[in-house]
Amino acid sequence: MSSATRNRSELVPNWTPRQRPARAPLTGHWCTLEPLDPDLHAAQLHTAFAQDASGSGWTYLPYGPFADADSYADWMRVNALGIDPQFFAVMEIGSGRAIGIVAFLRIEPAHGTIEIGHIHWSPILQRTPAATEAIFLLLDLVFALGYRRCEWKCDAANMPSRGAAARFGFRFEGEFLQHMIVKGHNRDTTWFAILDREWPALRAAYESWLRVENFDERGRQRGRLAEAVSAASSRES
């Protein structure tokens, strides 16, 4: 019997549906995730995203850019306050301003699967420990709730997102060709995932990398997350 056949028929004993993630803050050392609130966060996010003069951060999102903060807030009230997707604002420690956005989506408590998406980092957040910690906080909640699988999907042409998925420890699973039409363009969708059995080793890698001691006085990393994740993945496999 092939491995694929065994996996399809594998029993999951005593399985019960998982809880949905609570709409509550997640607090780390480098950032805090707050449930998205248009009145609190739209203007701050619009200002932060405006620092991306090229607007390239909106390229692969199915919405935006928005002409002004009020338009962005109106979009949030219609599209971003439900239980799925479940949006968070990434808050900068110290200033308390919103500098990025991320969401849980395709939440399937009955099957124990969930996706992280709608990721939009402002230039203030990009390539910082806070950006990595935001993903860590979400992953840690997912697997603490007993989910079996966390997914990451992106446009196959979105090379920064594909690179980020690999850096964060998501395994490439394949592509869905002609999956969507986004802003008038074809989207082939690339799939990645982390499984529950992989998370303990990856969690240790994240925690080691996020230590304050891993950064010099200018905030530059001493050790690379990709190396720690690669070592953790090798041990798990």
Side-chain angles (χ1 to χ4, degrees):
M1 182 182 293
S2 71
S3 173
T5 302
R6 286 198 304 271
N7 288 341
R8 281 200 298 272
S9 61
E10 179 183 355
L11 292 174
V12 183
N14 304 316
W15 172 258
T16 58
R18 306 293 92 176
Q19 293 182 356
R20 286 183 173 273
R23 187 172 165 79
L26 299 172
T27 302
H29 175 80
W30 302 99
C31 71
T32 297
L33 303 186
E34 293 184 357
L36 188 65
D37 183 328
D39 296 326
L40 294 177
H41 302 133
Q44 294 177 356
L45 287 168
H46 189 268
T47 297
F49 294 144
Q51 295 195 26
D52 171 19
S54 70
S56 61
W58 297 101
T59 300
Y60 295 106
L61 293 170
Y63 45 80
F66 298 93
D68 50 47
D70 288 341
S71 299
Y72 195 14
D74 289 342
W75 177 88
M76 289 180 184
R77 292 186 183 101
V78 173
N79 298 282
L81 297 182
I83 61 172
D84 191 349
Q86 181 179 326
F87 279 85
F88 296 88
V90 183
M91 311 300 294
E92 186 178 44
I93 295 292
S95 72
R97 59 180 173 168
I99 54 175
I101 197 167
V102 65
F104 286 133
L105 65 156
R106 297 184 177 89
I107 304 167
E108 295 285 353
H111 303 294
T113 66
I114 195 167
E115 181 179 344
I116 293 174
H118 292 280
I119 299 167
H120 192 180
W121 295 163
S122 74
I124 307 163
L125 181 57
Q126 293 168 7
R127 294 178 292 279
T128 66
T132 296
E133 187 176 56
I135 300 300
F136 168 76
L137 291 171
L138 294 174
L139 285 169
D140 207 33
L141 176 60
V142 164
F143 293 114
L145 290 173
Y147 280 74
R148 305 172 65 228
R149 170 184 175 86
C150 186
E151 299 175 341
W152 179 294
K153 304 187 187 83
C154 64
D155 191 310
N158 188 348
M159 300 311 295
S161 184
R162 294 177 65 152
R167 176 176 176 268
F168 291 143
F170 288 81
R171 293 180 185 269
F172 173 77
E173 294 188 332
E175 292 184 358
F176 280 18
L177 302 180
Q178 296 186 189
H179 184 213
M180 299 181 184
I181 298 174
V182 179
K183 293 178 176 174
H185 293 265
N186 174 65
R187 169 172 153 161
D188 298 336
T189 298
T190 305
W191 289 55
F192 301 84
I194 294 174
L195 304 183
D196 51 357
R197 63 175 178 265
E198 298 168 333
W199 179 239
L202 289 173
R203 187 180 195 277
Y206 273 89
E207 287 188 316
S208 176
W209 187 84
L210 287 166
R211 288 182 300 113
V212 174
E213 294 79 13
N214 189 43
F215 301 91
D216 65 19
E217 63 280 358
R218 297 176 62 183
R220 295 175 299 193
Q221 63 180 353
R222 293 189 166 97
R224 297 176 63 240
L225 179 63
E227 293 171 355
V229 163
S230 178
S233 299
S234 298
R235 288 194 297 272
E236 197 283 328
S237 61

